[in-house]
Amino acid sequence: MEFYKYQGTGNDFVMIDNRDLQFPKDKEIIAKLCDRRFGIGADGLILLENDDKYDFKMVYYNSDGGESTMCGNGGRCLVAFAFFLDIFEDKCKFIAIDGEHDAEIHNGIIKLKMIDVNSISNEGEDTVMNTGSPHYVKYVEDLVNYNVFAAGTGIRNSENYKEKGINVNFVEKITDDEIFVRTYERGVEDETYSCGTGVTASALTFLQKHNLISVKVKTLGGNLKVYAEKDGNSFHNIWLEGPAKQVFRGKVDLI
């Protein structure tokens, strides 16, 4: 089967054009394709499929082979893939597991509209919200040397979250309009170079604290930007912006 490999700020995905519905949605096959030693290697696998009401449909799987919730960087990469396939010109609307998303592409930079966030809850000094996937946000110091794996594993497998899991983001303020974010992702069960829904969640906590409408976000894999409009304790018109790029393409045996 032909596949494409895309990355968005270091978050990498196997992309498959599944408009003919020929891909076997088998957990073991997907996990093998995402394996970095025995397969192609990726943080997740994304199928692009047809939908009668939208330009295309996004079906996302974590690297463990399980179908998962929304992936922001994966969504941006899928928009770049759909653009490569000539499905749209510069603007599109697609459907994902968390609902519909608008997107734009200009010179390799993709702006993806995220779902509205209607509730943000506090857990001590930390924050929990759903930006298409569930996220826990914790502010720390000296993030570059922080043990994200150990701390992320602890929170993800804590009593409140061990059953369904949660993505854990660690945030450090850089300037008045820029933050640094590192994320431990459930399903991958490790730190990734970037996480779009996690960057969004982290950015919203910063926008809420500082009454801003946009913030720049540094990740291990590159730079992103988040825009949002605040309404009390909720946010709408949320956009995630950043690069997404095709890395390579090839053919792979599924057996």
Side-chain angles (χ1 to χ4, degrees):
M1 176 165 279
E2 188 172 35
F3 72 91
Y4 298 79
K5 181 76 176 287
Y6 275 75
Q7 65 88 11
T9 54
N11 218 183
D12 59 342
F13 308 94
V14 174
M15 294 285 182
I16 294 177
D17 180 357
N18 195 42
R19 287 176 290 179
D20 60 5
L21 300 178
Q22 293 301 300
F23 181 79
K25 297 178 180 180
D26 179 271
K27 185 173 183 178
E28 290 186 5
I29 290 175
I30 294 168
K32 180 181 177 182
L33 292 176
C34 292
D35 192 289
R36 298 190 184 278
R37 292 185 181 274
F38 300 101
I40 300 163
D43 292 326
L45 181 144
I46 303 176
L47 302 178
L48 185 150
E49 297 183 351
N50 286 322
D51 188 278
D52 292 340
K53 297 180 181 179
Y54 297 91
D55 291 304
F56 53 92
K57 177 182 179 182
M58 173 182 180
V59 184
Y60 173 69
Y61 299 88
N62 278 327
S63 60
D64 63 2
E67 186 172 358
S68 189
T69 47
M70 181 59 184
C71 175
N73 284 331
R76 292 191 308 101
C77 285
L78 187 65
V79 171
F81 183 40
F83 179 77
F84 167 77
L85 295 174
D86 292 323
I87 291 175
F88 70 98
E89 292 187 3
D90 58 351
K91 295 182 180 181
C92 65
K93 187 185 292 286
F94 69 92
I95 187 72
I97 194 168
D98 64 337
E100 66 178 39
H101 293 267
D102 292 301
E104 305 173 6
I105 183 168
H106 301 284
N107 299 320
I109 302 297
I110 291 88
K111 283 184 69 174
L112 173 66
K113 189 174 185 181
M114 308 296 285
I115 64 167
D116 292 345
V117 174
N118 296 316
S119 64
I120 298 175
S121 59
N122 295 322
E123 190 160 313
E125 296 183 354
D126 305 330
T127 309
V128 177
M129 74 182 79
N130 191 306
T131 53
S133 290
H135 282 278
Y136 189 105
V137 180
K138 183 179 186 67
Y139 280 76
V140 301
E141 296 181 355
D142 192 24
L143 181 53
V144 69
N145 294 310
Y146 196 79
N147 193 335
V148 167
F149 180 82
T153 301
I155 294 170
R156 181 256 185 269
N157 292 297
S158 63
E159 190 65 32
N160 289 342
Y161 305 113
K162 64 182 181 181
E163 183 177 349
K164 294 183 178 180
I166 196 167
N167 304 287
V168 187
N169 307 275
F170 301 93
V171 185
E172 183 176 27
K173 177 182 176 180
I174 300 175
T175 67
D176 288 342
D177 67 346
E178 185 175 14
I179 56 175
F180 177 30
V181 178
R182 294 175 64 186
T183 302
Y184 178 97
E185 288 197 52
R186 65 171 186 175
V188 179
E189 304 307 337
D190 203 350
E191 181 179 10
T192 57
Y193 273 66
S194 178
C195 172
T197 53
V199 160
T200 302
S202 301
L204 293 184
T205 65
F206 193 78
L207 297 180
Q208 186 179 49
K209 286 182 178 182
H210 300 280
N211 199 28
L212 301 172
I213 60 171
S214 68
V215 60
K216 294 177 285 186
V217 185
K218 174 185 175 184
T219 72
L220 295 180
N223 299 318
L224 294 160
K225 193 170 184 178
V226 175
Y227 309 80
E229 295 178 15
K230 185 173 179 289
D231 183 12
N233 195 42
S234 63
F235 285 90
H236 62 278
N237 203 21
I238 305 167
W239 292 82
L240 174 67
E241 178 184 271
K245 185 178 180 181
Q246 186 179 130
V247 180
F248 61 86
R249 59 192 289 187
K251 292 185 178 180
V252 63
D253 292 330
L254 298 180
I255 300 174

